[in-house]
């Protein structure tokens, strides 16, 4: 107890009011939050550069100054004092320069990995997943779970290879990425028919929202290789615009909250989670704040599940 | 017929365009609406002080100048001319002074009870439930149905006993409150593990959204003591932020409209409703107006069900 | 390929970035989009006059410069280069003058029909359906599918016969309208009990959201006369305010996206679609843009289904 | 003293929390407020139908429960208990029917005049000025002071004679209107060169914002016939969009607050004010509420000046 | 140089991206920023509790990673590396408890004073000025410059002594406050005629916006005792709602930017500034962010002037 | 006359409802409007990519279907049928690729110049001025008038040479740019002291808002070389945030409407205007629409002045 009531609306907005560690060489934590406020990869609305700030701010809503978060449905207390989380601040973004901005993001993720911390990156648009995955060069192989409305599997269009329509293609090309499960995919996007065919040929398992609903969360989780190291990339537009309107390219027909939460809880229990990014929160398109709150609520629960599972195992 | 078309967008905004009765000593109605615009009990966003005004305004959307509201699904006309509703205006709020503001709310509820009218209080934050329940001191015992995202069962933190995290604990302490059914409870909040344990030990039945869905509305209604006098307190954050973003502490994973409406219809038929409060509408966080419209639509239908049931019985 | 990347956020906002044809005498297309920016028929919020512009703008989100839209769930490419769509611009609206504004809308629909194009009208409030239907005078008979929260079956109130509460009554009176299926109807509105009785006596099949859900989309589609020519009128308030808050008279408890999409896909396959209107998008009440995006996503998919079915048959 | 603190955010929203008088036959007051929520006369944004409600709500900000409003600059207390103001509610608006809606507005103004009360009409769009002026048929002649961005002097275009571009032409045609002073006029509008010429030929004095500034408020006031009966019509778009963005057709370069307030104070002292309308507040285009607050602050001060001047004279 | 470009939109939101010092016992800086997110003292809109966070966020707009801020008009570089500023975070606020919340604010200001740092408090509503002034008990006497729309000189109403209408009265009662200059005061408020009389009798100099304009900034500055220690309290509603709509009780007719900036520059040069508070920023009422940007721009320039003047003297 | 009333809210949103010319090889007009929806050069808020669409939409407010725009202050009709304006649509933007996006903008400007049309570019962020100026390579020399809050004279920081802080430096380097007059410059920005010194040494005349006000518009205009060919670049943040909050980096203390309008009218009369860009409108940060309306009103009047002056000369 800090001697403070520490109501959610008070205090500096680091993620979950956790300590800010400016010196990335001295990281010492179970999980490290990194902001990646880059939005030059977007094809409709920009604004995801304010994603990290808004998710941090929203995360304070769930910080009541208790020691851990009690969940009556699970009868468990998550993120108690035994779990250490730090906020690394943001990667340095260089306007007009995609290559160097991406390099700076990669540098941050590498710093977290070097420190043995779980990297948790808050975008920024989905192109920031590219340097996140590149930072794992040299690490053991892993599978990727993408939760998203869009396949993002464009190889190259008009020379663009690092936009927010390209990341899953870039990931699939990596030798240390063993495969992809792409969940929530629906409706038209920048990926044309060829992209779907390429994805399937490169080992992707593509599942729409309706297909995911039909099979149920347990069957869905089983589509992901049990026990394998798993990187999870969450594009907030995987969700229904009803709860996530604050995003660059909304698509109706998306997931509701528990559909994704339960999938995350399942993989936290069946896989080793090696990295997370949550992208495409463009807060200024949602004056209610629901989108940022969703992102924060999801990340905090996912982190809770991961470290609870580690403790249980 | 008033000789007017009386379109929804015209006229003074009392609740459902019903008469305003300034002199609480002369109340004569089946139901009496009281605003309780107090929001100093909040732990994240304030703004619920404008709840009463916004719900009144939204209620005019459903006031088409007909004699009663025809529902084709029930083949029934609700709130015909045989049901009298009045608007008492607002309790007098004293800024910086929780005790006196609460006392003024209690005074209004007592006036309604003394007049034999069903008190319907529009908050304000959930702390206004405390004086509402206190106004029933001396009345016959009753059960409480709470529809809410949060347990609100904090005993005391840093000396606070009348904030919006305390009301259900305060209610449970009353001799004339026979028990609580707490529905919709989910995710972390100001109530820690001890609060849940205290609630259960004091006789609470705690049900999450997913648990409520799994059992279905009929089974859910049966968890409430059949036939018993029932006070219903509805925190708008029980609902999914998709339809109720305009609230102080949104929590994803909430109820959709019919889930709550059908529960209210069930209890209107199986219990004697002795009082209602609907709280935590903070309209300025929802520029679409959906939250206020939800509150108004819910209250008008609930009142319709209650007086229809009374007539049928 | 235009030689351009043509990202969604670039370019002039015609519907789906299709050609604008100012001279209605020279229309030559499979489908013709007509704006009908009239909102003087509303009984609560106005603002639907900006519906056409906002739906056009939103439609560009789904225009990635590919040749057609690939749907991985259906493994089909919709709206390829074989389908020609043009944008007629807007009907000329005369402020303060309902009769002449309606006449100008009728003129536009007649122009599309004369050219053999499928007329697709974007409102404006639901009163614009009245001239749309009147434009079919002299055409072969057809059935109407209305997807809406409100019955809109008021005969006349205070002399009003062409407001947004009247269109389905006006349609039912036409000799060439063989019947109506009215889906999504719920809660109180300007149509009183007498209106429901009149509708039923004039051959309407009235189905609420909950009734539609209970029977499922296939059974629902079967309530519509198989194979018959079908006009589809979609009031955006048929949808849940969670995804369509930007409308004049929101009503909670509405449809979610796939419930309507699948119904539209079913009728595209079982009926000959002869006309479409989509009304009551009032974009300025939805700062997130979700409502306009919903309207655009729905129309583009519906058009895809229609022309795909024509090709298949 | 009501025994209440009566903070601005509490209570039913009549204008300045004054009594609502539903029976227009029993009016007995110095001033009578009438809402005229008609917006079918607009040529760009609609939404002025919510002007009366929003101005009433904003007026409560200035109602602190004191007996009168003390102004330290004038060392005067305005609107003390000797001045009686009532709120008549709104004229009955018939959607799609301009003629009958206007007739109902005229009826309300006549009721105020018959009761000897100063009619104060809150629009609605500027077309509501037409029935306001028509209600003075049979009264003594008067001059009109229009404060507006637009000349509104269109005779007839495409048959429209009662839109919001026509009122000043309609007024100038009345035998009992002795002349017009049109202040704030700037930039392009629906009135073409012919309209300006007609206005001048019918006796109008047209003054732009810059011209008004150059001459100063005292010289400006002198352009209005001293001592003559004066009707004042204020289009909120006379003001700079910086303080009045919530309006149908904003025009940059408008007046700031004191420029208009001081003109109103001057005419309150030099003329007999016989009627007032304030129009074109479209509150939903201004999420900050500044526009409605401006309208309320202006009306309350103007009424204060008028009744102070009457008492002094 | 940090080796980072450090664009304004990146990084943790402390004030001006300055270091956060959680341990108030180890403060060592020229100026210390303290958030006071208390808004239970408001009489119309609440929401000022988010003032500190929004002003911190806005302050990053002016943080381009240079060493100091060059002003070409003054040909000076402000806030270079010789000036040390720290962010203390927020005072602990106890919901429902004004007394203890105020005590915690006082504690923070005392910590800054004890460390020899200039305390700069960001509200919160204007009641937070009460504990700010109380923290100076035991310090040398000083004059107060209040820049505000409202006099805030209510002694007690309905028992309220620490609301946002009381602070200047509370200050004037202190033995160590030598006098007040109250600038910007206009229109009606919670202070009645008696309050103005009391203020004048207790030594206040009350100046309206128009009076300030008439005399000019140099004459205005001379109304403040030259050379005296000066505490400056800035209520953002002193400004015109055109640039500060995001506040609890807006009042038209306020100051524009340079009018206040130049007054602050003048007093920075002629007085010893001993404390600052800036209050009543309620950011959620201004979706454009202008109000928070104004507050941040003003504070950063004022701090620049103060430490530049100290260096020059 | 088109036979249509053509109210501002109807019709396809090209600039001023002028013809859209997709084939840039066939341009034939006095002025050609080009959208440059690029915003990756921004250092705080992005969103200027929607500038072209929003300014086009706003421009329709001033399009009443008359033949030209009558201005009663100048007693002139601007932009009559003798002036031909076309809308070229938008330059093709390649996300993540600044170089190619800029090249596409340059291409569009060259097409206008080749056709002998005045190029009028709507941004986009201020970096789009770089390709605009580069398109004049090979043309006769000209002076630049920049109206802006920020100097934008950064040479290179962290490798960035084509961001929105660099354009005036890039322009000054061109042999065919004879000098710059930079008006409205104030407060801190990305340009440090060195940038100001470089600007002055390269021939810039830097004038703040207060300096411009002090000298008056006629003296200000004289600071620009009389008769010289003049390119005008207008950053909307030159204006006060009160009327232009919808921009990336707002700065308080900016110009009001007539201050800039009159300067533009003066240079239209004294210089040959060879090109125009108006940048940094980020419409989604201004829900009122005032910023876009300002941009449209300014451009339409400036074009009116230019072609009126050409006709007069």
């Amino acid at each position: 107890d800090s001697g403070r009531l520490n109501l959610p609306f008070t205090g500096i907005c680091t993620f979950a009011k956790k300590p800010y560690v400016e010196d990335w060489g001295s990281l010492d934590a179970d999980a490290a939050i990194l902001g990646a406020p880059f939005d030059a990869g977007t094809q409709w609305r920009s604004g995801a550069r304010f994603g990290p700030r808004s998710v941090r701010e929203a995360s304070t809503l769930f910080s009541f100054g208790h020691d851990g978060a009690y969940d009556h449905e699970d009868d468990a207390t998550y993120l108690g004092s035994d779990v250490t989380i730090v906020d690394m601040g943001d990667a340095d973004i260089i306007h007009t320069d995609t290559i160097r901005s991406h390099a700076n993001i990669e540098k941050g993720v590498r710093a977290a990995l070097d420190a043995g911390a779980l990297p948790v990156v808050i975008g920024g648009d989905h192109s920031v997943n590219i340097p996140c995955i590149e930072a794992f060069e040299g690490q053991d192989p892993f599978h990727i779970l993408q939760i998203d409305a869009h396949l993002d599997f464009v190889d190259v269009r008009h020379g663009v290879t690092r936009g927010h329509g390209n990341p899953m293609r870039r990931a699939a090309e990596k030798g240390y990425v063993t495969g992809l499960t792409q969940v929530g995919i629906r409706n038209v996007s920048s990926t044309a028919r060829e992209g779907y065919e390429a994805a399937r040929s490169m080992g992707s398992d593509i599942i729409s929202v309706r297909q995911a609903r039909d099979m149920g969360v347990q069957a869905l989780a089983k589509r992901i290789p049990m026990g394998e190291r798993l990187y999870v990339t969450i594009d907030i537009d995987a969700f229904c615009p009803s709860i996530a309107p604050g995003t660059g390219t909304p698509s109706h027909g998306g997931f509701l909250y528990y559909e994704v939460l339960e999938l995350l809880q399942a993989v936290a229990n069946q896989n080793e989670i090696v990295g997370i990014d949550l992208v495409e929160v463009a807060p200024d398109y949602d004056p209610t704040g629901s989108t940022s709150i969703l992102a924060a609520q999801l990340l905090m629960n996912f982190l809770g599940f991961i470290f609870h599972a580690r403790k249980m195992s």
Side-chain angles (χ1 to χ4, degrees), chain A:
Chain A
D1 192 336
S2 65
R4 289 174 58 104
L5 178 54
N6 228 343
L7 288 174
F9 64 78
T10 67
I12 300 298
C13 293
T14 54
F15 187 79
K17 299 192 186 175
K18 297 294 181 185
Y20 167 45
V21 177
E22 193 174 0
D23 174 11
W24 294 354
S26 70
L27 289 173
D28 179 15
D30 294 315
I33 313 295
L34 176 71
F38 176 86
D39 63 5
T42 48
Q43 297 175 94
W44 209 43
R45 298 166 174 169
S46 49
R49 62 178 60 187
F50 288 113
R53 287 189 175 175
S54 76
V55 176
R56 285 185 180 109
E57 209 277 335
S59 73
T60 67
L61 164 55
F62 304 109
S63 301
F64 283 89
H66 298 302
D67 183 13
Y70 178 68
D71 186 309
H72 81 95
E73 293 185 85
D74 295 350
D75 192 21
T77 298
Y78 294 117
L79 299 180
S81 55
D82 54 318
V83 180
T84 55
I85 299 176
V86 297
D87 193 322
M88 299 172 67
D90 291 343
D92 198 40
I93 300 301
I94 313 298
H95 56 307
T96 73
D97 192 334
T98 301
I99 299 298
R100 293 183 57 211
S101 298
H102 279 188
N104 288 336
I105 296 167
E106 182 186 339
K107 191 170 122 191
V109 177
R110 281 190 186 275
L113 290 172
D114 289 350
L118 175 72
V120 180
V121 175
I122 305 173
D125 68 51
H126 213 156
S127 76
V128 308
N129 170 268
I130 299 175
C132 289
I133 296 302
E134 290 173 340
F136 281 81
E137 172 80 49
Q139 307 273 333
D140 289 340
F142 54 87
H143 189 85
I144 293 179
L145 167 61
Q146 175 203 15
I147 303 174
D148 199 336
H150 309 100
L151 200 70
D152 294 348
F153 215 90
V154 176
D155 185 3
V156 54
R157 282 188 81 203
H158 282 240
V160 177
T161 59
R162 300 180 78 93
H164 78 161
N166 308 103
M168 292 305 111
R169 175 71 181 230
R170 291 294 85 76
E173 295 165 351
K174 300 288 181 288
Y176 50 91
V177 172
T178 57
L180 285 89
T181 306
Q182 304 185 271
V183 181
I185 314 305
R186 60 191 186 273
N187 208 43
V188 61
S189 75
S190 60
T191 308
R193 180 194 282 267
E194 308 81 74
Y196 286 86
E197 288 163 354
R200 288 205 180 88
S201 74
M202 293 170 85
S204 272
D205 186 13
I206 303 174
I207 301 162
S208 77
V209 170
R210 288 184 288 186
Q211 290 161 348
R213 273 179 195 151
D214 284 350
M215 70 180 75
V217 68
Q218 296 312 323
L220 179 58
K222 287 194 184 121
R223 299 282 279 259
I224 296 152
M226 178 82 56
E228 212 166 300
R229 285 162 50 89
L230 188 71
Y231 183 98
V232 181
T233 178
I234 304 167
D235 186 322
I236 203 74
D237 68 21
F239 288 91
C240 180
S242 66
I243 49 174
T247 192
T249 50
S251 181
H252 284 279
F255 285 121
L256 299 180
Y257 176 66
Y258 283 120
E259 293 173 319
V260 172
L261 186 77
E262 293 176 0
L263 176 59
L264 295 179
Q265 190 164 20
V267 298
N269 286 322
Q270 77 176 29
N271 292 88
E272 182 193 352
I273 308 301
V274 299
I276 300 168
D277 63 61
L278 187 155
V279 299
E280 297 283 358
V281 175
D284 294 320
Y285 285 100
D286 181 2
T288 71
S290 288
T291 312
S292 305
I293 293 171
L294 174 63
Q297 189 172 342
L298 209 69
L299 279 182
M300 294 191 78
N301 278 281
F302 192 19
L303 289 171
F305 298 150
I306 290 168
F307 292 104
H308 190 71
R310 288 194 186 176
K311 198 163 51 182
M312 293 297 107
S313 66

